[in-house]
Amino acid sequence: MSSPGSAGRFVTFEGIDGAGKSSHLDALASWLRRRGHEVVVTREPGGTPLAEALREIVLHRPMDALSEALLVFAARRDHLCRVIEPALARGATVLCDRFTDATFAYQGAGRGFDLGQLATLERWVQQGREPDLTLWFDLDAATAAARRGAARAPDRFEAEGLAFFERVRAGYAARAAAARFVRLDASRTPAEVWQQIESVVSARGWW
Ligand code: TYD
């Protein structure tokens, strides 16, 4: 969709809670900035005042899977219109902590919500916009839970059990056939995971 020099690249970071994507997102932002690129770091649900308000609701108020799906797509719509599309149009690289693959994995595979209805919402909200590259931090649910530990009060998703996160992981695996999707072995050390990322982004030749 985008080409070098004309429009920016849209890179998303995915994986179950505890897979370790957030620190690598910051590292990739620094790597790109050192090469002189404008980088926008953002997250979902969130990234705008409205979407951050919706995030608080989705993460902490009880609701059914359809309500979750509608709220994350409402947040996504605002985020796309106000942040992601303008950044890509001016040539910036957008690094986004989660995007629509998380909806398919969490609301679809995790909660059992209808994937066809999610695909309809995706088309409606995104109008063809897709990530150019998705880094999937793949880790088994037990190791991820141990990494999350008990450092803070869990939100509605983090409070789910191993079976939920194994379904979410399988949901990501089901998305991984897309050419934009790259699986990273997140069970490796942080330095090894970073090496995987550096070789993937270097091989793309975009920056
Ligand atoms: P996360 O990205 O893990 O942030 P933090 O590192 O601050 O915990 O938390 C966001 C949660 O929202 C995560 O548990 C997955 C969930 N989520 C969905 O269920 N659907 C979605 O579409 C998105 C984007 C996130």
Side-chain angles (χ1 to χ4, degrees):
M1 186 171 288
S2 51
S3 60
S6 60
R9 297 293 184 179
F10 182 25
V11 182
T12 58
F13 288 63
E14 298 283 0
I16 62 174
D17 295 77
K21 59 191 165 46
S22 302
S23 55
H24 289 296
L25 195 155
D26 292 337
L28 182 57
S30 302
W31 189 91
L32 290 165
R33 286 178 180 133
R34 279 200 301 279
R35 280 161 180 73
H37 299 286
E38 184 195 353
V39 180
V40 173
V41 170
T42 189
R43 68 173 182 180
E44 291 216 343
T48 69
L50 174 62
E52 289 290 334
L54 293 173
R55 176 189 179 92
E56 276 306 301
I57 294 170
V58 172
L59 264 52
H60 300 292
R61 307 261 186 98
M63 67 185 73
D64 75 350
L66 173 57
S67 304
E68 272 179 19
L70 292 172
L71 289 176
V72 295
F73 272 114
R76 183 161 299 138
R77 178 70 191 167
D78 196 56
H79 192 205
L80 277 165
C81 293
R82 293 178 191 277
V83 175
I84 297 173
E85 294 294 353
L88 294 175
R90 67 175 184 267
T93 295
V94 176
L95 303 184
C96 192
D97 194 341
R98 301 190 183 285
F99 195 64
T100 304
D101 297 306
T103 315
F104 280 87
Y106 281 78
Q107 281 66 51
R111 302 280 194 230
F113 190 74
D114 187 274
L115 299 180
Q117 291 186 29
L118 292 181
T120 300
L121 287 168
E122 178 185 32
R123 278 194 298 277
W124 203 17
V125 164
Q126 292 168 219
Q127 318 230 306
R129 173 60 68 189
E130 280 216 325
D132 296 298
L133 173 64
T134 297
L135 299 173
W136 171 35
F137 291 71
D138 185 31
L139 189 63
D140 68 273
T143 307
R147 284 193 189 169
R148 287 201 301 279
R152 59 177 186 183
D155 62 39
R156 290 176 57 243
F157 298 101
E158 291 163 343
E160 292 285 345
L162 289 185
F164 176 82
F165 284 107
E166 282 301 347
R167 290 198 300 279
V168 173
R169 183 187 188 196
Y172 279 122
R175 308 276 293 167
R180 67 181 164 84
F181 229 92
V182 174
R183 178 187 176 274
L184 305 169
D185 180 356
S187 71
R188 313 294 284 269
T189 65
E192 289 169 334
V193 174
W194 171 251
Q195 275 178 359
Q196 296 178 63
I197 293 170
E198 202 174 7
S199 79
V200 166
V201 298
S202 300
R204 285 294 189 277
W206 291 339
W207 295 285

